[in-house]
Amino acid sequence: MRVPILKQSQYVIASIQSALSDEELLQLRDDLARDVGKHRSRGVIIDVTVLDVMDSFAVRTLRAIAHMIRLRGAETVIVGIQPEVAFAMVQLGLTLEDITTALDLEEGLACLNRQGAAGARHVQ
Amino acid sequence: MTTDIRSHAAEAKHTRADATAALLRELVAHLRKNRTQLREEWARRITESKLLTAMTREEIFAEATSVYDNYVEVLETGSVEALQAYARNLSERIIPRGVETHEVLGIVLLLRDVLARSLFKKYQADFGLLNAVLDAYEPAANRIANTVAVGFVQERERIIRQQQEAIRELSTPVLQVRDRLLILPIIGVIDSLRARQLTEQLLRGIRANRAKVVVVDITGVPSVDATVANHLVQTVDASRLMGANVIVTGLSSEIAQTLVTIGVDLSKINAVGDLQGGIEEAERLLGYSVTMPEPKPSEVKA
């Protein structure tokens, strides 16, 4: 299933609905890179609340998406990482160091708004 | 020829086993007959040796009676299952009263002694028979002592495990002090298992309270080594993935020195001197500002 990408004022929100295969992840990457340009968005939120497993490929792809979005002139926030997933990721050494993360969608939007208010387009 | 020898050996073994069984039966009958007297002798010896001081005389006598009956039954049937269950049950009852391992083992060995003496007395005329009786009695008695001691120690270990579990659960509270601000005071030694539980509890707390900042206070952690430091780093990383900032407080000068000496990478850790400082820093991050209320004019006059 394709991940639905919603436009919300200056941001686009990719809300993952089910576990994704590697192909679907790559599809998400391409879709986001395209939609950020199409909507002239300033921020991207990727909601991973439903994922109860994140393997190294998923984490690597998310990181690649974030880097790519940055090159397209927008910021990425990953929201909704579950406690178990966070713990497993840290154990595997997958810590998404330079990527902004937030608790949930609401927090993610607040986070982007703050960055917008500061007039900053770079990662802190 | 060979078969002949083998069958002979088997037969000899068989008759020996038969003889042992017969002797055990005789022995059990003897112990049953003298139950009252032997039991009293045993209870007297227990008091004399100052064992089971945590229990009253009546209690000792009551327990002695049931231990005695169980003992004789095991000698008779040779099955230790019932005794194992009884030993567990007994341990459950007497451990909370502060009965020690040496006391339990002591009373069982005393009973063994009392019974052996009564056998010596009964069979003293016939040395060969006495030897045969002891051959039957000793292994069974040893097995009983063994079973009781093992049962007692196992029960104790079970209680210790249970208590460890309880302490572990009690010792990692995740507390909310302000909206979106959590405190995790850690007290005691951190091992891998506890670090894991701690992290899991913290992450769950972050989600439940929608926390943005967490203050981890390690004033109560006596020592920090490379493993503990890595656990801390992992906790910080995992919290960050959940969108929460972590402030570590209470790193003593000794701990700071140790960490620098062993070369743990703490660049990711936001450390503040004490808990108060940590909470102030957290409030700053959350945009709170705490001010003293203006004193009322009446109070100023007073």
Side-chain angles (χ1 to χ4, degrees):
Chain A
M1 196 186 90
R2 226 179 168 123
V3 178
I5 295 176
L6 319 165
K7 178 177 172 296
Q8 148 77 35
S9 70
Q10 308 185 48
Y11 311 129
V12 291
I13 302 168
S15 163
I16 296 173
Q17 303 293 319
S18 61
L20 297 182
S21 67
D22 291 359
E23 287 75 35
E24 285 165 332
L25 271 166
L26 297 178
Q27 179 73 52
L28 172 66
R29 183 189 66 187
D30 300 346
D31 289 354
L32 274 176
R34 193 192 58 229
D35 285 11
V36 161
K38 194 168 84 189
H39 301 306
R40 298 178 47 76
S41 303
R42 301 190 48 186
V44 172
I45 293 179
I46 303 175
D47 184 0
V48 297
T49 310
V50 295
L51 298 186
D52 42 19
V53 178
M54 280 228 247
D55 57 14
S56 61
F57 183 81
V59 174
R60 211 168 56 230
T61 312
L62 284 180
R63 161 176 270 170
I65 291 175
H67 289 165
M68 217 163 58
I69 301 293
R70 190 174 303 152
L71 291 175
R72 301 277 280 153
E75 278 313 317
T76 306
V77 183
I78 293 172
V79 303
I81 298 178
Q82 297 299 309
E84 301 78 32
V85 178
F87 193 72
M89 283 170 68
V90 170
Q91 295 258 300
L92 294 172
L94 308 166
T95 51
L96 288 175
E97 260 132 29
D98 46 356
I99 317 289
T100 314
T101 48
L103 188 69
D104 53 19
L105 187 59
E106 191 183 342
E107 282 305 310
L109 283 168
C111 201
L112 285 175
N113 282 334
R114 260 200 313 279
Q115 284 176 7
R121 281 210 155 196
H122 58 83
V123 165
Q124 290 163 316
Chain B
M1 186 70 188
T2 346
T3 23
D4 211 32
I5 290 174
R6 216 175 275 156
S7 77
H8 263 298
E11 208 171 275
K13 206 172 165 191
H14 201 68
T15 40
R16 210 174 319 133
D18 265 357
T20 312
L23 275 175
L24 264 178
R25 267 200 300 281
E26 196 184 319
L27 209 137
V28 166
H30 167 70
L31 297 179
R32 285 249 160 85
K33 205 174 78 199
N34 298 306
R35 178 166 176 266
T36 317
Q37 182 231 321
L38 287 172
R39 202 179 42 181
E40 261 157 28
E41 164 73 4
W42 182 36
R44 195 182 58 72
R45 291 276 303 271
I46 291 176
T47 326
E48 205 172 72
S49 318
K50 295 203 166 50
L51 292 172
L52 298 183
T53 42
M55 294 163 79
T56 63
R57 270 189 85 82
E58 291 73 32
E59 279 174 321
I60 292 179
F61 197 72
E63 288 299 348
T65 308
S66 47
V67 173
Y68 186 92
D69 292 343
N70 268 287
Y71 199 99
V72 176
E73 202 182 311
V74 174
L75 281 179
E76 187 177 26
T77 59
S79 135
V80 288
E81 273 88 20
L83 186 69
Q84 269 169 349
Y86 176 74
R88 247 201 315 277
N89 181 286
L90 175 73
S91 310
E92 231 167 78
R93 268 179 292 135
I94 61 177
I95 287 175
R97 317 202 36 184
V99 175
E100 298 291 333
T101 320
H102 78 257
E103 290 183 295
V104 172
L105 201 52
I107 62 166
V108 176
L109 291 179
L110 269 183
L111 177 59
R112 186 179 181 284
D113 198 32
V114 168
L115 299 188
R117 264 159 212 269
S118 117
L119 294 178
F120 285 144
K121 205 166 144 196
K122 183 172 158 66
Y123 296 107
Q124 63 186 344
D126 186 345
F127 187 69
L129 186 57
L130 177 62
N131 252 337
V133 166
L134 286 181
D135 278 346
Y137 172 73
E138 295 279 338
N142 286 347
R143 202 164 68 224
I144 293 172
N146 204 352
T147 309
V148 171
V150 168
F152 185 82
V153 170
Q154 274 175 347
E155 177 63 20
R156 258 186 117 115
E157 279 170 358
R158 195 183 62 79
I159 290 179
I160 291 172
R161 268 198 304 277
Q162 221 172 30
Q163 286 172 343
Q164 273 177 340
E165 195 64 29
I167 291 171
R168 220 172 258 142
E169 268 169 34
L170 284 175
S171 63
T172 48
V174 179
L175 311 167
Q176 179 163 14
V177 280
R178 291 211 197 298
D179 207 20
R180 330 210 62 185
L181 167 56
L182 294 183
I183 292 191
L184 176 72
I186 308 179
I187 293 168
V189 181
I190 308 178
D191 55 13
S192 298
L193 184 68
R194 194 168 167 220
R196 195 194 163 94
Q197 272 181 338
L198 221 125
T199 310
E200 276 171 10
Q201 242 165 317
L202 176 63
L203 296 184
R204 253 179 255 131
I206 289 174
R207 186 171 58 177
N209 298 303
R210 300 176 52 78
K212 274 208 77 90
V213 182
V214 180
V215 179
V216 178
D217 182 59
I218 59 165
T219 316
V221 179
S223 70
V224 170
D225 57 12
T227 327
V228 175
N230 281 328
H231 284 314
L232 267 178
V233 173
Q234 282 191 350
T235 309
V236 172
D237 280 340
S239 306
R240 205 187 60 85
L241 286 175
M242 302 268 305
N245 269 310
V246 178
I247 299 169
V248 179
T249 66
L251 281 159
S252 66
S253 53
E254 291 87 6
I255 290 179
Q257 270 185 17
T258 325
L259 291 183
V260 172
T261 316
I262 57 182
V264 180
D265 176 23
L266 293 170
S267 55
K268 278 188 264 177
I269 290 189
N270 182 1
V272 178
D274 57 7
L275 183 59
Q276 184 186 350
I279 291 177
E280 281 163 8
E281 168 75 6
E283 282 169 341
R284 204 182 55 71
L285 284 174
L286 287 167
Y288 287 110
S289 66
V290 180
T291 50
M292 292 281 272
E294 289 281 318
K296 288 180 194 148
S298 57
E299 282 168 3
V300 173
K301 215 181 279 172

